[in-house]
Amino acid sequence: MTELRFVHLGFGADAVEYQQAWQEQRTVHAARFADEIPDTCLLLEHPAVYTAGRRTEDSERPLDGTPVIDVDRGGKITWHGPGQLVGYPILKLPRPVDVIAHVRRLEEALIRVCAELGLETTRVEGRSGVWVLGDPVAARPAIGGLSLDFDPRLTDEEFDPRLNGPEYAPSNAGQRREDRKLAAIGIRIAKGVTMHGFSFNCDPDNTWFDRIVPCGIRDAGVTSLSNELGRRVTVAEVVPLVEKHLREILESAEPRPRAVEPAAAGS
């Protein structure tokens, strides 16, 4: 791929409102499609906001009516806010675009960032993003005095952790020793150019996730670099590492068009 350019839109007190950043994405996307600029990754923080991808269900939104911005990316509902590094890589890829390969490249870069910080992370099959694996189910502590055999999440398809107390809250998944998501990925590809991207939890207040069903996942939770490493890991510390590993992965990649199955011969 071509050289990757990074643009810092705003962090901390200069965090960028979601709608403003979305419009900037559109502007950069159009310029990249026209080959007026190179591949570009926007890096920023947002003020606290919930955004919902195209597959979000009503039952996953905040119960208290907190506003949610509906967006055109894939995936479901999530939260962005202070302490979370957001990256929007806007890249031109060969068509038809191999979406899964693009997501895997983003995951790999963030996994390498975590490794450099001393944290082992991985992927979870069927669930995009970067994860910290929990203990085996049999080794996890009982929830609320219940044995695993009576854990409602295993038997109740309509179980809602928001109605069942803090012991089920996504932000407490680390205490329960469950799988927990450290970075979320949701993208859109238009005219062969990517939009949206990743959110990487450095040092946010993860209780914001307790108002929703993050990414539509009810049997796992969320975490942050600070929670896992036992020290404060700021966005400022993580930005240069993300730039380093995204550059390594994306500039060395040789994206190929998605394989297209030949049409069956007519009778």
Side-chain angles (χ1 to χ4, degrees):
M1 294 181 66
T2 61
E3 181 179 353
L4 181 61
R5 177 180 69 135
F6 289 95
V7 176
H8 294 181
L9 289 189
F11 304 98
D14 297 320
V16 184
E17 292 288 345
Y18 188 86
Q19 295 281 17
Q20 179 184 342
W22 195 4
Q23 182 55 50
E24 181 64 17
Q25 281 196 74
R26 295 186 186 102
T27 299
V28 175
H29 181 278
R32 182 65 191 99
F33 175 70
D35 288 327
E36 297 170 354
I37 60 172
D39 288 336
T40 299
C41 182
L42 309 177
L43 294 175
L44 64 149
E45 280 180 272
H46 287 303
V49 62
Y50 294 105
T51 69
R54 295 186 299 265
R55 297 191 298 111
T56 301
E57 299 178 12
D58 289 344
S59 62
E60 296 160 355
R61 297 170 181 264
L63 296 175
D64 60 2
T66 299
V68 175
I69 297 175
D70 289 282
V71 297
D72 57 358
R73 60 166 170 80
K76 294 198 172 193
I77 191 168
T78 193
W79 171 84
H80 301 305
Q84 182 190 79
L85 174 60
V86 174
Y88 297 131
I90 300 176
L91 318 173
K92 179 175 278 192
L93 300 176
R95 291 194 268 182
V97 172
D98 190 333
V99 178
I100 294 175
H102 173 60
V103 170
R104 294 293 173 265
R105 286 191 289 269
L106 298 182
E107 290 170 343
E108 181 61 28
L110 300 182
I111 287 171
R112 292 187 185 186
V113 171
C114 294
E116 183 162 345
L117 290 167
L119 176 63
E120 181 180 356
T121 56
T122 189
R123 300 178 177 89
V124 170
E125 186 174 356
R127 293 178 170 178
S128 66
V130 176
W131 292 79
V132 177
L133 292 184
D135 295 339
V137 172
R140 295 177 191 170
I143 298 175
L146 296 176
S147 72
L148 288 169
D149 292 340
F150 293 97
D151 186 339
R153 293 169 299 174
L154 304 179
T155 57
D156 184 355
E157 293 182 358
E158 297 183 357
F159 173 80
D160 193 327
R162 297 166 296 182
L163 301 177
N164 290 270
E167 63 268 29
Y168 293 101
S171 62
N172 290 333
Q175 297 177 29
R176 297 191 299 269
R177 306 305 304 163
E178 294 177 345
D179 294 351
R180 45 215 185 265
K181 182 178 281 193
L182 181 61
I185 294 177
I187 64 170
R188 177 174 186 252
I189 297 176
K191 301 179 180 179
V193 180
T194 66
M195 289 183 66
H196 301 287
F198 62 85
S199 55
F200 196 11
N201 294 333
C202 301
D203 188 34
D205 176 2
N206 278 340
T207 60
W208 283 93
F209 288 101
D210 297 344
R211 300 186 190 182
I212 59 175
V213 181
C215 303
I217 298 173
R218 299 175 185 271
D219 61 347
V222 295
T223 191
S224 67
L225 290 168
S226 296
N227 286 347
E228 297 299 328
L229 293 171
R231 66 174 181 86
R232 188 176 181 217
V233 182
T234 65
V235 168
E237 179 182 350
V238 174
V239 165
L241 301 179
V242 165
E243 291 185 357
K244 169 187 170 183
H245 290 288
L246 276 176
R247 197 182 297 281
E248 287 176 351
I249 293 292
L250 297 179
E251 289 187 354
S252 64
E254 297 182 6
R256 301 180 184 279
R258 173 176 49 84
V260 178
E261 295 290 335
S267 55

